[in-house]
Amino acid sequence: MEKLKVILIDDETLIRKLLRMKIDWEELGMEIITEFSSARKALEEVQKWDPDIIITDICMPGMDGIAFSEECINLMPKVKIIILTGHDEFNYAMKSIKIGVSDYILKPIKAEVIAQTLWKTREKIEKEKNYQVEYEKLAAQIEENLPLFQESYLNQVLLESVTSEVFCRKMRFYQVDLHPTSQEVQIAVLEMMYANKENRSNEEDQNEMILHIKARKLTEEFFAGDAYVLFCKDGFGRIVILSNNPQVPLNDCLELLRKMLITRLKCYINIGMSSKKVGYSQITTAYKEAVEALNYKVVEGKNCVICYEDLANTVGSLSVEEEKLWKEVKIYVSAGRREQAESCAQVLWESASREGYKNGYKLRNLFIEIVSWCFNEAVKNEFSNQKEYQQRLTKVNERSSGFVALEKYMLECIGMLTTEMAAKDEKKNGSMIQDILVYIEKNLSNPDLSMNQVAEQFYISAGYLGRLLKKKTGKTYGEYLSELRFKKAKELLEATDLKGYEIGEEIGISDPHYLSIWFKKMSGYSLSEFKRQNEVQKMKV
């Protein structure tokens, strides 16, 4: 580290000479670059000298050291100022700490004290400079990687909605411009594939990665002249286009983009496009619409742009009763109740078949909606059998897939997902009930260990806790707690000389009278009788 630059300020020449002579400045890695007898004169020239450290007397004519320090720190916030003060000025000097003075030294001046103070100040400066260097490196890395952070954040927002305020703040941090007056958003999801995806080699997989890179580059170049259009890659490697520009006719642009990519890259292109949404909090909804539209490629065929709004107009609405059935299917699936989920889905399918769906197209759309939902839930929950849903989704476009076959595939998807949900719930509940049992045992001495108290500890209802405990132990909460306390009481009676009231405190029954009644009821013996019985048994052994 370079030598630190020091300025001395004192109206007494002798003090300045003593400071020069008594301190080994070379050893400290410092040099005195100038000195002043007047604080006011020093303040006029201090920025020109750009010192690291200033040593100043507190009491000087014209401008004292406190006033100088305050104005100097305003001019040069990083400079370290050390005040020289006498005992009678000590309380006054303490005020200097509040304005940012680094340290103070009491007169009479002692060389070792000054050297220690200067060394401590040097360490502080080095630490700050190292911190600044690291901060600048980190800032440079952040600046360099801003596009990656931006893309990662956009990918997150596609799946988890945020408020418009949070989105705007994040985009400002990532130095991304949003439309100054409009929060209208529209999303497109672009998927590419080669003609033959079967029996692919590693080289072909590598070529497909190159295909995606080229498509992304061409897509960004295509929209280069349009402001407020953002890009990212979703979890499936698909290109996501987010338009925040109401003047961009996204549908027309996507048709041109599709033709250009097919011509340039010689591959299949499918694009799903959402309806227009107002508010950045609707980005997640828009993405879901775009994905849902994209899933209809199995009906529309390859190389097409599918608009969610057009899709909504052609699918046909479910009746009120059918909407209710569809919601019930989702509830049963989420709860892991396979039999009810499949039964309800079957009733929905039969109802849809009766209510004008027999023209085929609309019934196939219902199949796509159900299986797509299953697929999306599998993705969201990170289940391993996601491809199985996709495989069944493709069945909708096969000639051999009649309504009976589609119903079978649909029920298979419902069954698979419900089983996965049940397994996940079982694993989660198994872990939770184990934690609950450990908590109860560890807190057995708490006389207020009620079911409500334990339930609150784990953020669940008392009723749910009771059901979990019954399923795991076959006992109610009261029965389980009482047996656990009885077991602990017996262990203490057999292994310790604790008195009855002490045992009661250990198992959470602080009333000795109630303890006696309770123990007699549980064992048929009083505490003393049980202890004698145990001692007799030991003697026999």
Side-chain angles (χ1 to χ4, degrees):
M1 191 171 180
E2 294 180 359
K3 283 186 178 181
L4 298 181
K5 297 179 288 185
V6 181
I7 289 179
L8 305 179
I9 305 173
D10 199 301
D11 59 324
E12 295 185 34
T13 304
L14 181 60
I15 297 294
R16 298 199 304 273
K17 287 186 180 298
L18 284 172
L19 286 171
R20 280 184 178 274
M21 293 168 56
K22 283 191 171 187
I23 305 300
D24 189 340
W25 298 96
E26 187 72 26
E27 184 181 4
L28 288 169
M30 300 179 186
E31 62 175 335
I32 298 172
I33 54 174
T34 190
E35 58 183 64
F36 294 94
S37 59
S38 162
R40 192 171 297 282
K41 179 67 174 174
L43 190 64
E44 291 173 0
E45 299 186 20
V46 68
Q47 285 180 289
K48 178 181 74 175
W49 292 99
D50 189 27
D52 298 294
I53 299 172
I54 297 174
I55 302 176
T56 179
D57 189 16
I58 193 170
C59 187
M60 292 180 289
M63 173 181 275
D64 64 24
I66 301 292
F68 165 80
S69 298
E70 187 169 12
E71 292 197 35
C72 184
I73 289 169
N74 287 334
L75 290 172
M76 304 173 65
K78 292 183 180 179
V79 72
K80 303 299 179 213
I81 299 178
I82 300 172
I83 293 281
L84 300 177
T85 179
H87 284 279
D88 56 340
E89 302 161 340
F90 178 72
N91 290 333
Y92 184 43
M94 288 299 291
K95 296 178 182 179
S96 66
I97 302 298
K98 294 181 180 179
I99 63 171
V101 167
S102 180
D103 215 330
Y104 61 89
I105 298 173
L106 288 174
K107 295 178 180 178
I109 296 170
K110 294 181 180 179
E112 62 271 19
V113 174
I114 295 177
Q116 288 172 5
T117 304
L118 287 168
W119 189 257
K120 186 169 68 174
T121 305
R122 179 184 180 83
E123 288 178 339
K124 190 184 295 185
I125 291 171
E126 287 177 346
K127 185 176 180 181
E128 288 179 1
K129 287 189 175 181
N130 289 336
Y131 174 81
Q132 184 64 26
V133 169
E134 291 302 316
Y135 176 82
E136 288 172 359
K137 284 182 182 178
L138 184 60
Q141 288 176 355
I142 291 174
E143 183 76 23
E144 183 181 345
N145 291 290
L146 269 180
L148 294 176
F149 293 144
Q150 171 210 318
E151 175 140 347
S152 176
Y153 179 70
L154 284 176
N155 196 262
Q156 177 186 337
V157 172
L158 296 179
L159 302 175
E160 300 175 11
S161 61
V162 297
T163 64
S164 295
E165 291 77 12
V166 169
F167 184 76
C168 288
R169 186 176 73 246
K170 287 283 189 179
M171 289 297 100
R172 281 196 298 272
F173 174 76
Y174 296 131
Q175 300 177 15
V176 175
D177 292 330
L178 298 174
H179 197 282
T181 59
S182 173
Q183 287 195 8
E184 182 179 284
V185 291
Q186 194 169 17
I187 285 180
V189 178
L190 189 152
E191 183 180 73
M192 294 145 292
M193 67 200 83
Y194 281 114
N196 180 20
K197 293 183 71 68
E198 300 296 327
N199 302 318
R200 300 184 57 77
S201 66
N202 290 336
E203 185 179 349
E204 287 170 322
D205 287 333
Q206 184 177 356
N207 289 339
E208 187 160 287
M209 290 176 64
I210 295 171
L211 168 69
H212 281 75
I213 293 170
K214 287 181 178 179
R216 171 73 177 265
K217 185 173 184 295
L218 289 171
T219 300
E220 291 185 9
E221 288 175 355
F222 180 86
F223 285 100
D226 300 306
Y228 319 120
V229 178
L230 309 178
F231 309 90
C232 71
K233 184 174 70 172
D234 71 5
F236 298 95
R238 300 174 297 205
I239 297 172
V240 178
I241 303 168
L242 189 153
S243 173
N244 177 221
N245 193 334
Q247 279 71 51
V248 171
L250 193 58
N251 193 3
D252 295 338
C253 289
L254 293 175
E255 285 290 352
L256 292 174
L257 175 65
R258 179 185 65 82
K259 292 175 183 177
M260 184 265 285
L261 292 176
I262 290 171
T263 303
R264 297 278 293 274
L265 301 177
K266 306 292 189 272
C267 65
Y268 292 134
I269 300 290
N270 286 300
I271 304 174
M273 186 180 75
S274 75
S275 58
K276 292 180 180 179
K277 303 291 180 184
V278 178
Y280 301 128
S281 60
Q282 297 297 308
I283 289 174
T284 304
T285 303
Y287 172 68
K288 287 179 179 177
E289 286 187 0
V291 171
E292 190 173 338
L294 183 62
N295 285 337
Y296 275 78
K297 65 182 181 289
V298 295
V299 175
E300 299 289 343
K302 299 179 176 68
N303 293 329
C304 57
V305 176
I306 308 164
C307 304
Y308 181 82
E309 287 179 330
D310 296 340
L311 191 68
N313 293 333
T314 60
V315 167
S317 300
L318 294 175
S319 67
V320 174
E321 185 61 30
E322 288 163 351
E323 286 285 1
K324 183 182 176 183
L325 285 168
W326 182 212
K327 286 179 182 177
E328 288 179 7
V329 171
K330 293 177 180 178
I331 291 170
Y332 286 135
V333 169
S334 300
R337 297 166 67 179
R338 179 168 181 167
E339 187 177 340
Q340 291 93 330
E342 289 177 337
S343 175
C344 200
Q346 198 166 15
V347 173
L348 170 61
W349 187 267
E350 290 170 359
S351 174
S353 299
R354 290 194 302 270
E355 297 297 326
Y357 280 75
K358 283 194 175 179
N359 60 12
Y361 187 77
K362 291 184 178 180
L363 197 55
R364 288 174 188 272
N365 285 336
L366 179 62
F367 170 83
I368 293 170
E369 181 176 355
I370 293 173
V371 178
S372 294
W373 179 79
C374 290
F375 171 67
N376 290 332
E377 288 298 302
V379 171
K380 187 166 67 177
N381 288 279
E382 298 181 347
F383 294 151
S384 59
N385 59 350
Q386 296 168 17
K387 286 186 178 180
E388 294 185 41
Y389 298 99
Q390 289 180 309
Q391 288 168 359
R392 282 165 177 77
L393 200 55
T394 60
K395 300 290 186 182
V396 74
N397 220 30
E398 294 179 1
R399 291 184 179 180
S400 59
S401 297
F403 298 146
V404 174
L406 290 182
E407 182 182 8
K408 173 176 170 287
Y409 298 139
M410 179 268 296
L411 291 174
E412 285 176 351
C413 289
I414 291 290
M416 279 193 302
L417 183 61
T418 311
T419 301
E420 290 271 23
M421 289 291 196
K424 180 183 178 183
D425 195 47
E426 182 70 25
K427 184 178 179 182
K428 176 185 173 185
N429 289 341
S431 175
M432 180 186 287
I433 192 61
Q434 196 58 42
D435 291 341
I436 289 170
L437 296 181
V438 170
Y439 176 82
I440 292 172
E441 190 165 357
K442 282 186 176 179
N443 293 273
L444 208 55
S445 61
N446 180 5
D448 299 320
L449 195 64
S450 65
M451 187 160 69
N452 284 331
Q453 189 270 332
V454 176
E456 286 177 8
Q457 187 71 25
F458 287 87
Y459 304 101
I460 57 176
S461 69
Y464 184 55
L465 169 59
R467 289 193 296 274
L468 285 178
L469 197 64
K470 185 78 172 176
K471 186 176 179 181
K472 177 70 175 178
T473 67
K475 300 177 179 67
T476 65
Y477 180 83
E479 290 169 345
Y480 179 77
L481 181 61
S482 196
E483 286 190 13
L484 203 60
R485 281 175 166 161
F486 180 58
K487 180 184 175 185
K488 180 73 172 178
K490 287 196 301 179
E491 289 173 358
L492 293 171
L493 283 166
E494 291 169 355
T496 71
D497 292 324
L498 292 176
K499 294 181 173 58
Y501 75 88
E502 292 175 320
I503 290 173
E505 288 175 353
E506 288 291 326
I507 64 172
I509 302 177
S510 54
D511 184 345
H513 179 65
Y514 175 71
L515 175 65
S516 298
I517 296 171
W518 171 80
F519 191 83
K520 181 113 180 178
K521 181 182 176 184
M522 294 294 291
S523 67
Y525 299 99
S526 68
L527 290 166
S528 56
E529 288 171 344
F530 185 89
K531 195 168 184 67
R532 279 197 300 272
Q533 286 273 4
N534 184 61
E535 288 171 353
V536 170
Q537 290 294 330
K538 284 181 179 178
M539 289 175 66
K540 287 180 180 179
V541 174

